[in-house]
């Protein structure tokens, strides 16, 4: 199952015949808690790959609310339903190197996060929410922090 709100893309970009190959595509907004709840009830996910992205390089300070709604609200809706349904065994989250801040090279995983902009702050907040969901409810998770692989 793939979910996208198509705010930055088009259905025509899906591979031809994708649905015939058992890839179910659903148009929806992960910021909508009711939509996410119904999605989890209908689909019974065992793994969630949260790899959503949007292209807004350098705009983070100017679209603050958008960053928090798009990254934090959408992600916590997914985490909440992952915990609630008790079917999700692992949550895979695409964070960002923006959690490290700037001017800290070479970067490595042992650097302490020090985000400087709303994008990095929102991504790091999701990481912390996943940690809390693991400690409180046992939700297993994986976080990866790519540079700018896609989006």
């Amino acid at each position: 199952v793939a979910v996208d709100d198509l705010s930055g893309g088009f259905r025509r970009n899906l591979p031809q015949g994708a649905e015939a190959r058992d890839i179910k595509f659903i148009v929806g907004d992960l910021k909508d808690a009711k939509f996410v709840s119904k999605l989890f009830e209908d689909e019974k996910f065992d793994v969630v790959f949260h790899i959503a992205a949007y292209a807004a390089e350098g705009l983070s300070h100017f679209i603050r609310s958008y960053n928090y709604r798009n990254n934090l609200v959408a992600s916590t809706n997914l985490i909440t339903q992952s915990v609630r349904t008790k079917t999700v065994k692992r949550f895979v989250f695409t964070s960002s190197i923006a959690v490290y801040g700037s001017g800290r090279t070479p970067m490595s995983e042992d650097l302490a996060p020090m985000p400087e902009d709303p994008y990095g702050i929102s991504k790091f907040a999701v990481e912390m929410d996943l940690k809390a969901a693991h400690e409180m409810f046992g939700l297993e998770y994986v976080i990866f922090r790519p540079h700018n692989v896609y989006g």
Side-chain angles (χ1 to χ4, degrees), residues 22-114:
D22 293 328
I23 299 170
K24 184 176 184 179
F25 180 72
I26 299 171
V27 177
D29 186 351
L30 298 177
K31 297 182 299 290
D32 179 347
K34 288 181 183 176
F35 166 76
V36 176
S37 179
K38 181 164 180 10
L39 178 70
F40 273 69
E41 288 169 15
D42 292 348
E43 300 302 331
K44 311 285 190 259
F45 298 113
D46 59 344
V47 178
V48 172
F49 289 90
H50 184 26
I51 56 174
Y54 58 92
E57 182 71 29
L59 296 176
S60 183
H61 290 287
F62 305 104
I63 57 172
R64 302 177 87 79
S65 294
Y66 179 82
N67 274 292
Y68 292 119
R69 284 191 315 272
N70 204 52
N71 288 326
L72 191 53
V73 172
S75 298
T76 57
N77 283 342
L78 290 171
I79 295 166
T80 296
Q81 294 308 315
S82 294
V83 168
R84 183 187 68 80
T85 61
K86 296 183 171 87
T87 62
V88 175
K89 306 292 184 258
R90 184 168 316 268
F91 193 106
V92 180
F93 176 61
T94 305
S95 186
S96 169
I97 65 166
V99 302
Y100 295 122
S102 64
R104 301 175 71 203
T105 56
M107 290 187 178
S108 66
E109 289 182 2
D110 60 343
L111 281 177
M114 292 178 19

Side-chain angles (χ1 to χ4, degrees), residues 118-134:
Y119 181 78
I121 292 166
S122 64
K123 288 290 194 175
F124 188 56
V126 174
E127 291 185 19
M128 299 311 303
D129 193 53
L130 280 167
K131 182 177 186 286
H134 172 72

Side-chain angles (χ1 to χ4, degrees), residues 4-15 25 27:
D4 198 306
D5 66 2
L6 296 178
S7 62
F10 304 95
R11 185 181 282 271
R12 69 178 179 261
N13 291 338
L14 293 171
F25 180 72
V27 177

